[in-house]
Amino acid sequence: MMVTSLKFSRLQQILAGVLILQLALAVFVLWPRPAASGGGEPLIPGLKAADITALTITGDAGAAPIKLAKQGDAWVAPEAGNYPVDATKVAPILDKLAAIKTGRLVAQLPASHAQLQVAADRFVRRIEIATAQGAYTLYLGSSAGSSTVHVRLDGQDNVYLTNGLNTWEVSAELLSWVNPIYVAISSADVTGFTLKNRNGEFAFVKDAQGAWSLTDLAGDEATNPNNVVSQVDLFTNLRMTKPLGTADDPAYGMADPSAVVTLRYKSGDEEKTSTVTIGAQDPTDKAYYVKSSDSPYYVKVASYSVETLVERGRDAFLQATPTPAATPSQ
């Protein structure tokens, strides 16, 4: 009986040892290895920044991608009516994409892709690169510390570390690639404006000393300068949340706008007029559709940027009438 027990115990030890070896082997194969040193070769052989004609960037699996395309010497957003993209933001990314090297190999098996967030269905960024010579897809994955991220070229199993490009540099939000200022007029140059909304139409003028007033004040009324100045600051430095393109859409509500601002301003020795039309409010994100007469593009603007233009009535632009002091009783 003792011999049988000893044999059984020995078998258990052997099986346990085999299991430990299998687990160790699995960890060795699947776990990211320490980055190898060395410069390596370009991850995309022959890729040059000047050859890149378009980028399509997706934030994560299932998210809507954004596309940036080269048009002559400029960059535009094709899906927003070729809205101008800031080329100074694109150029450094093109250089960094072409400079990614294969010198720091960390994994070689597809089983590691999801863990490192460089899989086709699990990634931090997917970057589709179009060139005249062909197309490539890169996956940027999880951070490995020290400003390094995992990167994989689609069609290959190898995963590398790179510190030449970080995921935050490749934003999946179009607004990050364009100038977010939609209306840019110096408030000091504005000489007058008219606001029309569902509460009425209100006209304002500025005198030689820079003081604002309503044009139809009654004898006992006074303008609230703070509320007028705040309105001027809003529509002369209006930031958008999203460019939409040049085509009108009934959903934008421009035929029955929520508010219209018509302003007069000086440009050198010339006086100009500009109109900002605030259309409908998108029920999904509460942003308003906006169109400036100085731009061919429709955009979205955050509600907090224009809601006072939509909601304020005449009383909001008047100073409160002091309440008469109560007469002491005799």
Side-chain angles (χ1 to χ4, degrees):
M1 178 67 71
M2 183 176 294
V3 173
T4 302
S5 177
L6 289 173
K7 287 181 179 180
F8 186 68
S9 178
R10 179 62 176 165
L11 179 60
Q12 285 180 317
Q13 291 175 355
I14 292 171
L15 292 174
V18 170
L19 179 60
I20 291 171
L21 286 173
Q22 288 176 332
L23 291 172
L25 179 61
V27 170
F28 176 77
V29 170
L30 297 178
W31 197 258
R33 301 184 187 122
S37 60
E41 300 297 325
L43 180 59
I44 304 178
L47 179 65
K48 297 179 181 179
D51 296 334
I52 300 175
T53 58
L55 296 175
T56 302
I57 305 165
T58 307
D60 53 50
I66 64 166
K67 185 172 183 178
L68 314 175
K70 194 172 184 180
Q71 192 175 80
D73 293 330
W75 281 81
V76 299
E79 295 171 356
N82 288 336
Y83 197 89
V85 167
D86 188 343
T88 64
K89 296 179 179 181
V90 179
I93 302 304
L94 305 183
D95 291 333
K96 291 181 178 184
L97 288 170
I100 296 176
K101 299 292 182 65
T102 61
R104 307 175 71 185
L105 178 66
V106 295
Q108 294 177 283
L109 295 178
S112 298
H113 294 174
Q115 175 194 340
L116 302 177
Q117 293 182 265
V118 291
D121 58 353
R122 189 185 182 205
F123 51 82
V124 181
R125 293 286 187 275
R126 181 177 65 209
I127 307 170
E128 299 168 63
I129 305 167
T131 73
Q133 295 77 31
Y136 311 91
T137 298
L138 280 181
Y139 295 100
L140 291 183
S142 57
S143 171
S146 302
S147 299
T148 58
V149 296
H150 297 101
V151 61
R152 183 178 71 87
L153 181 62
D154 190 43
Q156 297 183 4
D157 292 336
N158 289 351
V159 181
Y160 303 93
L161 277 179
T162 180
N163 58 5
L165 182 63
N166 286 292
T167 53
W168 58 265
E169 296 178 275
V170 193
S171 175
E173 297 292 333
L174 181 56
L175 195 65
S176 300
W177 300 96
V178 303
N179 182 354
I181 305 299
Y182 179 58
V183 176
I185 298 172
S186 172
S187 58
D189 293 335
V190 178
T191 59
F193 72 95
T194 300
L195 168 63
K196 183 179 181 180
N197 61 24
R198 308 207 191 290
N199 295 310
E201 186 170 343
F202 322 107
F204 304 84
V205 293
K206 186 169 66 172
D207 64 22
Q209 288 70 46
W212 284 98
S213 64
L214 273 163
T215 59
D216 61 346
L217 289 174
D220 59 346
E221 292 179 329
T223 303
N224 181 332
N226 292 333
N227 282 358
V228 178
V229 170
S230 68
Q231 299 299 84
V232 175
D233 289 341
L234 279 179
F235 58 68
T236 56
N237 188 42
L238 194 60
R239 298 175 66 92
M240 66 174 164
T241 59
K242 184 180 180 180
L244 298 171
T246 58
D248 193 6
D249 187 316
Y252 298 167
M254 296 299 161
D256 183 24
S258 299
V260 178
V261 178
T262 303
L263 60 104
R264 301 183 304 279
Y265 65 98
K266 291 181 179 178
S267 179
D269 295 330
E270 184 181 1
E271 183 165 275
K272 294 186 175 181
T273 300
S274 180
T275 301
V276 177
T277 303
I278 302 166
Q281 187 175 31
D282 187 336
T284 58
D285 59 8
K286 305 305 180 184
Y288 281 89
Y289 299 103
V290 173
K291 174 70 169 63
S292 168
S293 61
D294 293 334
S295 172
Y297 293 96
Y298 296 84
V299 301
K300 272 187 170 184
V301 172
S303 61
Y304 63 80
S305 294
V306 295
E307 60 188 358
T308 54
L309 295 169
V310 172
E311 297 172 358
R312 278 180 172 171
R314 188 173 184 278
D315 288 349
F317 300 106
L318 297 175
Q319 292 187 14
T321 304
T323 303
T327 303
S329 58
Q330 298 296 324

